[in-house]
């Protein structure tokens, strides 16, 4: 089976990044907003949809919470982590290509 | 704290949302909704931002309940629900407050609204044909008995069809953008 190396959406990318450590929904929104200095502000509807999709794909999983803790927390799975690593590699390649052309004067 | 009830019929939720935010800007905060009936409480001007969303299932379904809990946990208040529609508000904290922050989820929502009105519009087409025939016949025979009713019916279906069309155009516009931007 070949690895899926298609680009991730910005929403998925930042949700996965935020879930390298366990977080609940609101925590994800805050973390992403702070990390991107307000550039990426996840809408609650968008985030909720992304969390469902990522769970279906097995890239993240809900954590079994303590009794009385209503807020569901999530974390990336091993699969999710490897998808993230592949994406970071792909983005590095994009930067390298971009810099090679813009700074190296390639023609 | 005084309350105020306003009866108003909106067929376009985007205009409805704008109106709720204008009311909130003037210190009238919506606290309940049932069919065409809005209840407002007097509060502080510009304290809340309101949003309206159409869900996939009835707001009372378990799947929707889970989403509503999620919204509450994320600092939003679900003010009212009506069938598949939900009314949400959040304290205006200077941060943008949108339920959807990327194209895919915006497209999905526009599509959902377009489908709701589109299905109604399609189902009404045969009845509209009957209404149009009725108007023509009555004008020819110079009996205008049910002309106003038929005209009102045609106009109403036209308005609701217009909502479906506008939502569909939003989908098209957003999808065109997908050729260039992530």
């Amino acid at each position: 089976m070949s690895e899926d190396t298609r680009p991730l959406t910005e929403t998925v990318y930042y949700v996965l990044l935020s879930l390298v450590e366990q977080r609940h929904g609101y925590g994800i929104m805050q973390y992403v907003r702070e990390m991107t200095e307000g550039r990426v502000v996840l809408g609650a509807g968008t985030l909720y949809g992304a969390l469902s999709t990522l769970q279906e794909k097995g890239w993240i999983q809900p954590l079994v919470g303590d009794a009385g803790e209503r807020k569901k927390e999530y974390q990336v799975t091993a699969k999710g982590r490897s998808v993230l690593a592949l994406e970071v590699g792909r983005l590095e390649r994009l930067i390298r290509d971009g810099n090679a052309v813009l700074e190296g004067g390639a023609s | 704290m005084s309350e105020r009830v306003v009866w108003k019929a909106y067929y376009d939720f985007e205009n409805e949302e704008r109106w709720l935010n204008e009311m909130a800007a003037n210190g009238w905060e919506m606290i309940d909704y049932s069919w065409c009936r809005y209840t407002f409480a007097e509060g502080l001007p510009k304290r809340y931002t309101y949003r309206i969303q159409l869900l996939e299932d009835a707001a009372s379904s378990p799947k929707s309940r889970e989403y509503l809990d999620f919204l509450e946990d994320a600092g939003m208040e679900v003010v009212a629900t009506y069938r598949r529609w939900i009314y949400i508000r959040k304290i205006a904290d200077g941060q943008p407050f949108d339920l959807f922050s990327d194209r895919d989820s915006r497209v999905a929502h526009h599509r959902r609204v377009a489908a709701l009105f589109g299905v109604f519009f399609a189902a009404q087409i045969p009845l509209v044909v009957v209404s149009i025939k009725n108007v023509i016949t009555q004008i020819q025979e110079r009996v205008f008995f049910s002309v106003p009713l038929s005209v009102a019916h045609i106009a109403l279906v036209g308005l609701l069809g217009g909502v479906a069309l506008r939502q569909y155009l939003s989908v098209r516009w957003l999808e065109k953008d997908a050729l260039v931007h992530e």
Side-chain angles (χ1 to χ4, degrees):
Chain A
M1 195 188 84
S2 68
E3 293 268 25
D4 189 349
T5 52
R6 285 174 301 166
L8 302 178
T9 65
E10 199 166 67
T11 302
V12 166
Y13 181 70
Y14 277 110
V15 169
L16 286 178
L17 270 187
S18 72
L19 290 178
V20 167
E21 281 173 38
Q22 66 187 69
R23 286 195 164 80
H24 52 70
Y26 187 55
I28 297 170
M29 291 161 85
Q30 277 183 313
Y31 179 84
V32 172
R33 196 175 65 205
E34 278 163 26
M35 183 179 230
T36 63
E37 292 166 341
R39 189 179 67 81
V40 181
V41 180
L42 296 175
T46 299
L47 174 59
Y48 190 78
L51 289 174
S52 322
T53 309
L54 293 177
Q55 275 185 85
E56 279 166 27
K57 292 180 90 68
W59 293 1
I60 63 168
Q61 60 189 17
L63 299 172
V64 190
D66 302 328
E69 179 61 67
R70 189 174 74 158
K71 293 183 187 184
K72 214 191 254 181
E73 291 204 315
Y74 302 86
Q75 194 162 21
V76 288
T77 58
K79 177 98 199 290
R81 199 179 251 279
S82 79
V83 167
L84 201 47
L86 276 173
E87 177 68 357
V88 171
R90 188 188 70 85
L91 292 170
E92 275 172 347
R93 181 66 206 256
L94 287 185
I95 307 264
R96 213 172 68 208
D97 291 347
N99 282 337
V101 172
L102 292 177
E103 290 166 13
S107 55
Chain B
M1 190 177 75
S2 64
E3 288 190 4
R4 198 172 140 187
V5 170
V6 180
W7 287 84
K8 212 169 157 100
Y10 271 102
Y11 50 88
D12 185 330
F13 81 99
E14 286 169 332
N15 288 339
E16 184 183 10
E17 192 178 88
R18 211 168 295 131
W19 177 63
L20 291 178
N21 283 311
E22 277 165 19
M23 291 294 282
N26 292 323
W28 287 101
E29 299 164 347
M30 182 196 144
I31 52 168
D32 199 18
Y33 174 83
S34 56
W35 195 76
C36 293
R37 185 180 187 273
Y38 300 82
T39 311
F40 295 91
E42 194 168 14
L44 299 172
K46 296 181 182 170
R47 176 162 56 176
Y48 288 108
T49 307
Y50 284 81
R51 291 285 177 256
I52 303 172
Q53 187 184 349
L54 177 67
L55 304 178
E56 283 173 47
D57 306 281
S60 54
S61 73
K63 202 178 143 197
S64 297
R65 290 298 335 163
E66 212 172 290
Y67 176 57
L68 298 188
D69 285 345
F70 179 85
L71 293 178
E72 300 260 351
D73 289 342
M76 276 148 256
E77 197 182 330
V78 180
V79 180
T81 62
Y82 180 74
R83 292 165 181 255
R84 286 163 62 200
W85 294 98
I86 57 170
Y87 295 78
I88 309 155
R89 71 180 180 188
K90 191 180 167 210
I91 299 264
D93 57 359
Q95 302 286 347
F97 168 38
D98 285 309
L99 291 169
F100 304 111
S101 54
D102 65 15
R103 186 180 46 237
D104 291 354
S105 54
R106 272 189 208 116
V107 164
H109 190 247
H110 283 305
R111 262 190 208 291
R112 203 176 300 147
V113 180
L116 177 70
F117 286 89
V119 165
F120 175 83
F121 180 74
Q124 285 287 322
I125 288 175
L127 300 173
V128 166
V129 171
V130 171
S131 280
I132 292 172
K133 276 185 182 160
N134 183 46
V135 170
I136 294 170
T137 320
Q138 294 212 357
I139 287 175
Q140 283 169 345
E141 295 172 1
R142 298 189 178 279
V143 275
F144 304 105
F145 176 61
S146 62
V147 167
L149 195 67
S150 294
V151 169
H153 174 231
I154 296 164
L156 182 68
V157 173
L159 283 176
L160 298 179
V163 174
L165 182 67
R166 261 204 307 287
Q167 291 296 318
Y168 177 67
L169 289 176
S170 296
V171 169
R172 285 284 300 272
W173 189 82
L174 284 168
E175 283 183 341
K176 214 170 159 191
D177 182 58
L179 294 171
V180 189
H181 293 290
E182 192 257 341

